[in-house]
Amino acid sequence: MKLTRRNFIAAVIGGIAGIQATPLPWKFTDDVAIWTQNWPWVPVPPTGEFSEVTSVCNLCPGGCGIVVKKVDDRAVKIEGRTDYPINPGGICPVGMGGLQLLYDESLRFTGPMKRVGLRGEGLFTEISWGEAFDMLAGRISTQRRKGAPEAVAAIDGSPEGTTVSELVKRLMRAVGSPNYVRPPSICDTYRMGNLLMQGTLSPMAYDLENSDFVLSFGCGLLEGWGAPGRVMNAWGMWHQGNPAKRKTRIVQVESRASNTASKADIWVAPRPGTDGALALGIAHVIIKSGKYDARFVSDHSWGFEDWRSMDGTRHTGFKTVVLEKYSPEKVAEITGVEPKTIVSLARAFAGAKAPVAIYGKGKDSLNGSLYEYMAVQSLNALVGSINRPGGVLLPDPLPLSNFPPMKVDSVAVGGLRKPRLDQAGTMRYPFSDSLINNFTDAINRAPRSPVDTLMVFSANPFFTLPDGGGFKKALEKIPFIVSFSPYRDETANMADLILPDSTYLEKMDDTVWPVGLQYPLYGLSQPVVEPLYNTKNVGDTVIELSRAIDDSVGSSFPWESFEEALKERAKGLFEAGEGLVSYDAGTPAWQRGGDRDKPGYSSFDEMWEAMKEGGMWYRPVGSPRDWQGLFNTPSKKFEFTSKLLVQAIADYSKGQSEKKALKDMGLSAPADEACMAHYEAPETTADRSEYPFLMLPYEMINLASGWIPSPPFLYKTIFENQLLKDKSFATVNPATAAKANLRQGDLVCIESQAGKVEARINLFEGAMPGIVYLPLGFGHTAYDEFLKGKGVNPNNVVQAGQDPISGYPVWWNTPVKLVKV
Amino acid sequence: MKDSVNSSKKTADKDGDTAPPGGLFPRWMKIDILAQDVGFFVLGLIGALVVGWIIFPAVLYSKHVQPINFNHALHLDSEKVDGVEGETKAEKCLFCHSFRDDGTFTGIPRLEKCTECHDDPESPLGETPEEKAFMAEYVADEKEIPWFVYSKQPDCVYFSHIAHVKMGEIDCETCHGNFADNEKLPIYEENRLTGYSRDIWGKRISGIYWNKEYSDRMKMDDCARCHTEKGQEQNNACFVCHK
Amino acid sequence: MKKENDHGKHKYGMVIDIDKCTGCGTCMVACAAENNVSVRADQSDKERTITWMRLYKISNGKPFPHTEISYIPRPCMHCDHHPPCVSVCVATATKLDFNTGIVSQIYTRCIGCRYCQAACPYGARYFNWWDAYFPKKKGLDRYLTPEVSPRMRGVVEKCTFCHHRFMRAKTVAYAEDRREIEEDEYITACTEACPAQAITFGDLNNPDHEVARLIKHPFTFRLLERIGTEPKVYYHSSRDWVRKLADNFLPGEYTPVVNQTWAEEEWSTKPGRDEF
């Protein structure tokens, strides 16, 4: 038999017929279909045992309680804790996206590294921890041997009062450098204002939940001020039920229709930088109509009426000045707010049962103005809302133990005697702790950098400082920079050495009294997962570093680990007694009275274990405090006119004319007025005919603008008129845009004397005419594909002035021009 | 070339069109030629059947031996293993293949479960070489055993064991077949195309089951058929079994 | 008109209080994190980026300083009456489950024709132009949850009312020998995450559930209510301009909510801000 063509065809036909009777075609089709449903490159998340770990979010000083869902060893979701006093259930979007900051390897340093590329390039090579400690300790030792320990400087962004910040301060003291600098924060303004008017040092405590009228001067209540979990929870509570019968009214004072302004009951829009004048206008109406709390003013305050000094000179008091200078008509001229609005606001504020005036500028991560804060606090005093439920409370500071006294060797004593580079605490800036813009200037002005080694902790000043790029220039001059950041941020990319911290989900850490909370709270976060990489808790790093420097420095750090140091401070919490370490959602911590469980621990160790488990120590809000000894000012009263300021101005005027001294301190008001809340018009060197607009940076809750990178998730929440491809948008009023002949989406160059950036135009009726609003948080030049090169950083345009007396940067007054590209 | 094609066509036409001089039928209908055709047809047919029924399944599935042999029968003997008790087989199975407190199913036990008894690598509990190998390779190094999972479903499938075993009172073997009496783990077969275990499609490559016993397959239709039979049609909604 | 879902046991739905909503976007992030939603480098192209829950920003359009903005969070509406996406699906990849009222979407069944996307009046459906992006070399696949299957390119996805949480709640109930689940045992990720408690989730069929009470409120409305798809996501706002934007009203068509009684309380015509 021969295989002919014909036979072959017969066989093929037989084959085709036969194959139908086999499973092959049917099974094959089925399998191919399944094959297309399971591409090997689509991840299949492994399953396992589900568990939960509770901790405290450390991404901002708010310290919300979080619960992390895990599958075996992997963390898969972050949620808010319902058994935590600050945020009963909710957290902010940044905290919600936190896992990307843990798991995105290209955002992080995977171990200690030294720079191999150019500064800013971000090229590093991994070294061992031993090598890293040797390098840094050697550098510091050399400075100490040279007798110049002050050339070692530290910038520390960990919130004031946390154990890490205490350790870094201690390290700087032990090394012998006075140059411990902090990035600005609204807490600086609160601290200084409270010191001057109340003589208190405890954190700001606004009893928002119990208030029935919240008059917010610029506080970004819905933009992330304070602990976002707490404020937004309160917001939901305020809007619960019948809107006609709502207890709490909210008024937002801000120049832009932000979320807070739009969602508030009333939005009042004064020109930027004139909030203080508006507050004084309201004070004027209240004083004039006699609606102020005469009892508080007469019994517990000083400087309201005119007064005589020791030498018999007559000085004007708050009342006289306010009545003379801040009539609604005059204030209307300054602020642009109509007089009748000022009058009705004043009536509503004074008429409320528990009004509170709160002060802020967006989130809490940038400073405010001292006099503005004093004006707002004066309003609280006028209506007696100080030390009263629903107002401003004056609790004691957290009873944390101090570290044991330390020995400071002769080298360190010599170094500590040197003046601070930023002049904070000098006669010119008598009440300031730290002035980072001055620090930057000092380096930029000097021919050779006075700082040899700069250590940067939990901060990214390259990106976050409103200084028109001044800090970046300073970094270029500093010979040796060390970053302790877990993230590959802009500042870390300029560093020569990286000693990476673990991320907040991999380590133990503490949070101390979230901004604005009305009761003392100490939060303790727990590692949620084991450190993924070769990183170290920065607290441990500081302790080990101290030992690597020399015995003299190391002896100030007697703890075996960071946890020991945490425990040492927490002992004070135990000794103070009465603190609760668990939370029952049924009795919120801001509610007075009510049955509460007793602390339920009898020894420190028991308390510590309970704190580690629950993550908290707090004392629910109590009854108002005894007036006796409440105010620690020279007059022992609330001071409308600050005696400390009187003294400080007198001190500074010694040997020169008072007028010149005041001018030097940035003041245009006469001496009496300078000692109380008053309005100072922000100054600028720019020619306003050339730079006709003002640029105002603004913050959003759904974008991190501080030292923490934004989780990429957040970019889903950004609108296409805030960011499109690589361009962010400048928001302007349509009328303003029409004047400059600009339309929606036009690309413009926003130029100030300090710098320029390119952005697209977004027209928005809710923007104040004449002002260009730029969002903070965009424009990273570091990190990875998710964040890098998206939009522009308004800080590069900010031409910062100086706030009178305090010396903090005035970042809200930058004249700019718009040039269409 | 063109010419030759044409000429051969012509020849073919001629063959077909005109009857040969010697017979009633055209030449192509001659019995021997037809027989040849049938022969080749059958040859092709048989070839295809062989390919489809024997070669195809053999090629489609790769065979894997489990990393170690686990003796189910031995471990289900309550006299030998402490704690394996219960009136039904399912209760015994649940000793190792257990539910967690949140109702989720542990599936194939982790090493942790094994080391509850086999805790000391130095002293095996039995005498089999398998156990020794297990102790040396896995227990000593605290390494998880990379089991091949016969009943592994794709990622898009959600299956609640507790709904079926506890609430539906269905025996394990209804779906998994009788593993309890196995002394030796069967060879694991993996579909090279889909990556699925053969147990999903079933041992019967045809996929045809006349007598409604489908205990050895785990396709979606089987789930649906059982739901319907048990009067649980509402559980045929897509999201009940898909995620 | 007879409703298809009358016989169903549960009818899960949601009420979103626009007065409480602060526009923070936590719901969007919570949703993406909960449901393994792909995050690509460029999220600014809103026609390509996937957001099951999406915030829309609306404005009253008044000039400065009377401008007001508000936000409308938009999940899948889980339409109860002939969901437009279900009617057009050629592959039966999307169905309305009468037992839960949830509109399901099966990715492995979807053929990517995008009819449903075109049919959805709410823009709640998203097409995967690319495979799920969780680059392994960055380690971003490590936070994925096994409860929701990641999607391949070429299929449509949408909000599922966190159906896996329903299954999780049932599993827990079974472990505790219960067949029914409590109101707070099954809530969506966005409901749970909202820091202002603006979202309420529950069974609309169950009169004991908060949602069933809230939807009777005169300030409650739905988006594009008049097209008759009976969405199960309700909104609540005391502001007339917000309610007015919920549908394409012709001039004079919209009637403001005036003097309605609800739960024996008199409602003022000018609630909230207008009282001053």
Side-chain angles (χ1 to χ4, degrees), chain A residues 303-372:
Chain A
F304 182 71
E305 304 287 348
D306 295 353
W307 53 285
R308 271 175 206 284
S309 53
M310 303 280 260
D311 57 7
T313 329
R314 193 181 160 82
H315 296 274
T316 43
F318 182 72
K319 183 172 148 188
T320 313
V321 171
V322 169
L323 288 180
E324 245 173 50
K325 297 203 167 169
Y326 296 99
S327 68
E329 291 70 27
K330 280 182 193 150
V331 169
E333 262 172 49
I334 302 171
T335 61
V337 177
E338 283 185 42
K340 69 171 198 289
T341 312
I342 299 171
V343 173
S344 69
L345 261 184
R347 284 200 186 128
F349 185 70
K353 271 191 203 128
V356 64
I358 65 176
Y359 177 72
K361 283 217 182 277
K363 288 181 187 173
D364 45 36
S365 53
L366 286 171
N367 60 284
S369 149
L370 174 66
Y371 285 118
E372 278 184 12

Side-chain angles (χ1 to χ4, degrees), chain A residues 36-48 50 69 71 74-80 88-94 96-97 99-100 102-106 213 222 228-229 232-237 239-246 249 251 255-259 261-267 269 344 348 532-533 701-702 712-726 733 764-769 773 784-787 790, chain C residues 17-46 49-51 54-57 59 61-71 107-109 131-153 165 168 189-190 192-198 210 213 217 219 236 238-239 262 264-268 270-276:
Chain A
T36 64
Q37 294 171 356
N38 296 284
W39 301 121
W41 55 85
V42 176
V44 177
T47 190
F50 290 75
K69 300 266 158 89
V71 175
R74 300 187 300 124
V76 297
K77 176 92 190 292
I78 298 177
E79 282 159 10
I91 49 171
C92 78
V94 180
M96 186 56 89
L99 287 182
Q100 287 181 327
L102 169 70
Y103 284 127
D104 188 346
E105 190 175 311
S106 49
F213 194 101
L222 303 182
M232 287 197 282
N233 176 62
W235 197 273
M237 210 175 63
H239 291 82
Q240 180 70 35
N242 187 338
K245 294 185 173 175
R246 272 179 34 214
R249 307 266 169 236
V251 178
S255 74
R256 182 181 65 97
S258 64
N259 288 358
S262 284
K263 292 285 184 172
D265 295 287
I266 291 185
W267 168 38
S344 69
L532 299 173
Y533 305 108
I701 189 158
N702 48 346
F713 274 134
L714 294 189
Y715 284 80
K716 285 190 185 291
T717 70
I718 304 290
F719 293 101
E720 63 268 47
N721 58 14
Q722 290 174 321
L723 179 78
L724 190 61
K725 301 278 176 215
D726 56 347
N733 190 285
F764 179 42
E765 295 279 2
M768 178 176 273
Y773 296 90
D784 64 355
E785 53 174 335
F786 292 113
L787 310 178
K790 295 207 185 291
Chain C
D17 190 333
I18 307 283
D19 291 348
K20 286 184 189 172
C21 171
T22 67
C24 68
T26 310
C27 52
M28 290 180 72
V29 177
C31 170
E34 176 85 16
N35 291 296
N36 293 342
V37 176
S38 178
V39 184
R40 299 194 65 81
D42 180 22
Q43 302 272 345
S44 69
D45 180 355
K46 298 300 176 193
T49 190
I50 300 174
T51 44
R54 179 167 170 193
L55 277 184
Y56 285 90
K57 194 177 192 168
S59 163
K62 288 191 182 166
F64 183 90
H66 305 287
T67 324
E68 223 180 86
I69 50 166
S70 209
Y71 296 88
Y107 317 118
T108 44
R109 189 132 191 158
D131 283 303
Y133 187 65
F134 305 103
K136 255 209 175 78
K137 67 172 201 295
K138 286 177 187 283
L140 277 172
D141 55 337
R142 289 178 287 186
Y143 69 73
L144 296 179
T145 161
E147 289 189 292
V148 182
S149 174
R151 279 72 68 185
M152 64 291 279
R153 70 167 175 270
R165 286 180 167 233
R168 193 199 292 164
C190 51
E192 181 182 71
C194 180
Q197 312 99 43
E210 180 75 3
R213 197 173 64 84
H217 196 285
F219 285 165
H236 176 103
S238 63
R239 290 169 190 185
W262 177 67
E264 298 170 347
E265 285 171 349
E266 277 291 316
W267 287 84
S268 118
K270 289 178 176 179
R273 69 170 46 213
D274 304 330
E275 275 205 341
F276 283 97

Side-chain angles (χ1 to χ4, degrees), chain B residues 103 155 166-167 234 239 243, chain C residues 99 146 149 163 174-175 177 179:
Chain B
D155 191 45
K166 184 174 174 183
M167 308 313 275
Q234 79 278 5
F239 259 177
K243 60 175 189 178
Chain C
N99 275 291
S149 174
H163 189 272
Y174 293 161
D177 286 316
R179 280 199 180 269

Side-chain angles (χ1 to χ4, degrees), chain B residues 65-129:
Chain B
V65 179
Q66 295 282 10
I68 56 169
N69 181 47
F70 180 84
N71 187 336
H72 271 100
L74 176 84
H75 284 87
L76 277 165
D77 187 341
S78 46
E79 284 173 16
K80 289 193 176 129
V81 181
D82 240 12
V84 179
E85 280 156 8
E87 286 172 15
T88 61
K89 264 187 191 159
E91 279 174 47
K92 287 183 170 181
C93 299
L94 284 170
F95 181 67
C96 291
H97 306 281
S98 56
F99 291 117
R100 301 188 189 97
D101 287 346
D102 62 358
T104 56
F105 185 62
T106 53
I108 308 295
R110 301 273 170 95
L111 187 70
E112 207 184 352
K113 186 79 202 171
C114 310
T115 51
E116 277 177 21
C117 301
H118 301 268
D119 52 350
D120 186 1
E122 301 302 315
S123 58
L125 304 172
E127 279 157 15
T128 60

Side-chain angles (χ1 to χ4, degrees), chain C residues 12 15 17 23 31 58 62 103 107 114 146 181 183 216 230:
Chain C
Y12 284 102
V15 181
D17 190 333
C31 170
I58 52 172
K62 288 191 182 166
V103 177
Y107 317 118
R114 301 172 64 207
I181 56 172
E183 184 177 4
K216 295 186 190 127
E230 301 281 324

Side-chain angles (χ1 to χ4, degrees), chain A residues 559-581:
Chain A
W559 309 282
E560 250 167 52
S561 66
F562 179 55
E563 187 178 344
E564 294 297 313
L566 284 171
K567 269 172 95 164
E568 171 127 15
R569 289 187 84 212
K571 287 210 170 98
L573 300 176
F574 176 71
E575 281 149 20
E578 298 283 288
L580 301 182
V581 290

